[in-house]
Amino acid sequence: MVTLNDYLLVSGLLFTLGFAGVLLRRNIIIIFMALELMLNAANLSLVAFSRFNGAEGLPNYNGQMLVFFIITVAAAEVAVGLAIIVALYRARQTTNVEDLNSLKF
Amino acid sequence: MSPILFWIFSALMLGFGAATIVNRNPVASALSLVVSFLGLAALFFSLDAYFIGVIQILVYAGAVMVLFLFIIMLLDLKAEQRRQLNLPVLIGGTGLALLFVAQIVLVLHSFPAGKKPLIPLTAPLNDASNIGMTLFSNYNLPFQVIGVLILVASIGVVVLSKRELK
C-alpha cells in the first residue's frame, strides 16, 4: 500500500535533484530548469497532503488551490526569467554563470 | 493506483529529473524535463487531483517547456565545453544534497501521521467543478491578483525584450 511517507520521500528526492542542479551546474538555463524541479517537488507534497487529509470522502481542496497558484506564478516567473536571460546573452554573449561576475566582491 | 505503478512513475520522474541536471546538451536537458513533468502529472492523477494533473501537462510540459526550447534554440546554445572541475563546489554541492536526503529520511521516519495508507474516496469526485467552486468563492481575491501579476509579467517581458535597454 502506498503511504503519505512514500509521496513525501519522492517529493524530497525531486527537491534534492533540483537543489543539486542549482548548486552544481554552471549554465544559467539549466539552473533555471532545476528551479522548476524544486517548485514541482513542493507541488507534489502539497497535493499529497491535500489528498491524505481530506474530509467527507473528498480531498482538501485548499492544498490544490495553492498548487494552482504556484503553477500560475511559476509560468509568469519563467517568462520574465527567460527574457532576462535573453537580455543578458545579448549584452555578454554567454550563459555561463562563472563569466557573469561583475557584481562579485 | 497500485504501488507498482506509483513506483514506476516515481522512478520515471526521478530518473529523467536526474538526466535534466546531468546532460551537457541543453536541448536534451529540456526534453528530459518534459518527461519528468509527465511522470509528475501521473503522480497527481494517482492522488485523484485530475485538474491539477491536466494543468501540469498543459502549462508545464506544454507552454513552459516550449518557451525553454524556444530560448535555447534562439540563443543557439551548443553542448557545454568540458571545463576544469571545481572540486570544492562539487564536493560541497553533493555533500549538501546528501545531507538534505538524510534529513528528509530521518524526519519521515519519526512522522507517525505519514504511515496511513491511501484510502479510496467515498464521495463522488467532480474534480473540476469542486476546484472551480473553491477558486471562485474562497479564493476569488487571490485569483484576481494573479490576473494582475500575469499582466505585469507580460508587460515586463515586452519591456525587457526591446532592442535598446539603455
Side-chain angles (χ1 to χ4, degrees):
Chain A
M1 220 38 202
V2 187
T3 62
L4 176 56
N5 269 347
D6 295 334
Y7 280 100
L8 294 182
L9 180 69
V10 169
S11 150
L13 288 176
L14 189 66
F15 188 91
T16 313
L17 280 176
F19 184 57
V22 170
L23 288 178
L24 297 176
R25 291 305 300 261
R26 302 270 70 97
N27 187 332
I28 198 163
I29 291 192
I30 310 276
I31 290 180
F32 216 56
M33 292 184 197
L35 281 177
E36 295 302 310
L37 279 183
M38 292 203 279
L39 280 172
N40 278 295
N43 284 350
L44 178 56
S45 54
L46 278 172
V47 173
F49 276 120
S50 122
R51 174 66 177 78
F52 279 87
N53 292 317
E56 298 156 14
L58 280 175
N60 186 342
Y61 278 103
N62 293 320
Q64 297 196 16
M65 282 298 100
L66 190 49
V67 172
F68 179 81
F69 288 125
I70 290 177
I71 290 179
T72 324
V73 172
E77 172 236 333
V78 165
V80 175
L82 285 175
I84 292 177
I85 289 177
V86 170
L88 191 69
Y89 189 82
R90 256 193 222 146
R92 295 292 185 84
Q93 277 76 44
T94 183
T95 54
N96 192 307
V97 288
E98 280 173 353
D99 299 336
L100 305 170
N101 52 8
S102 39
L103 282 179
K104 205 169 171 183
F105 182 59
Chain B
M1 188 188 258
S2 74
I4 299 165
L5 277 178
F6 167 77
W7 289 112
I8 286 176
F9 283 120
S10 301
L12 193 77
M13 180 182 79
L14 293 175
F16 279 92
T20 307
I21 65 167
V22 167
N23 263 321
R24 297 208 153 262
N25 188 345
V27 178
S29 275
L31 291 177
S32 312
L33 197 56
V34 173
V35 181
S36 182
F37 284 163
L38 291 179
L40 184 59
L43 289 187
F44 285 160
F45 291 140
S46 81
L47 287 165
D48 296 306
Y50 297 101
F51 182 77
I52 297 291
V54 170
I55 288 288
Q56 169 84 13
I57 293 177
L58 285 181
V59 174
Y60 265 115
V64 168
M65 293 322 296
V66 165
L67 208 56
F68 264 109
L69 281 172
F70 178 73
I71 296 298
I72 290 170
M73 292 180 176
L74 183 76
L75 301 184
D76 198 19
L77 297 180
K78 302 285 187 301
E80 272 175 67
Q81 300 297 318
R82 205 170 269 281
R83 292 212 174 188
Q84 191 169 9
L85 232 56
N86 193 342
L87 208 62
V89 171
L90 195 67
I91 294 172
T94 319
L96 270 178
L98 289 179
L99 213 65
F100 189 71
V101 172
Q103 193 179 17
I104 288 171
V105 170
L106 272 177
V107 168
L108 289 185
H109 195 69
S110 54
F111 180 50
K115 305 266 190 308
K116 57 181 170 186
L118 194 64
I119 26 172
L121 294 174
T122 46
L125 183 72
N126 298 319
D127 200 47
S129 132
N130 287 345
I131 287 210
M133 290 301 281
T134 321
L135 187 60
F136 287 103
S137 55
N138 297 349
Y139 291 89
N140 205 354
L141 181 64
F143 186 67
Q144 309 290 338
V145 173
I146 282 284
V148 177
L149 177 86
I150 288 182
L151 179 67
V152 170
S154 47
I155 294 174
V157 167
V158 171
V159 170
L160 272 172
S161 313
K162 286 182 83 148
R163 207 76 187 98
E164 315 80 38
L165 262 178
K166 295 291 177 297

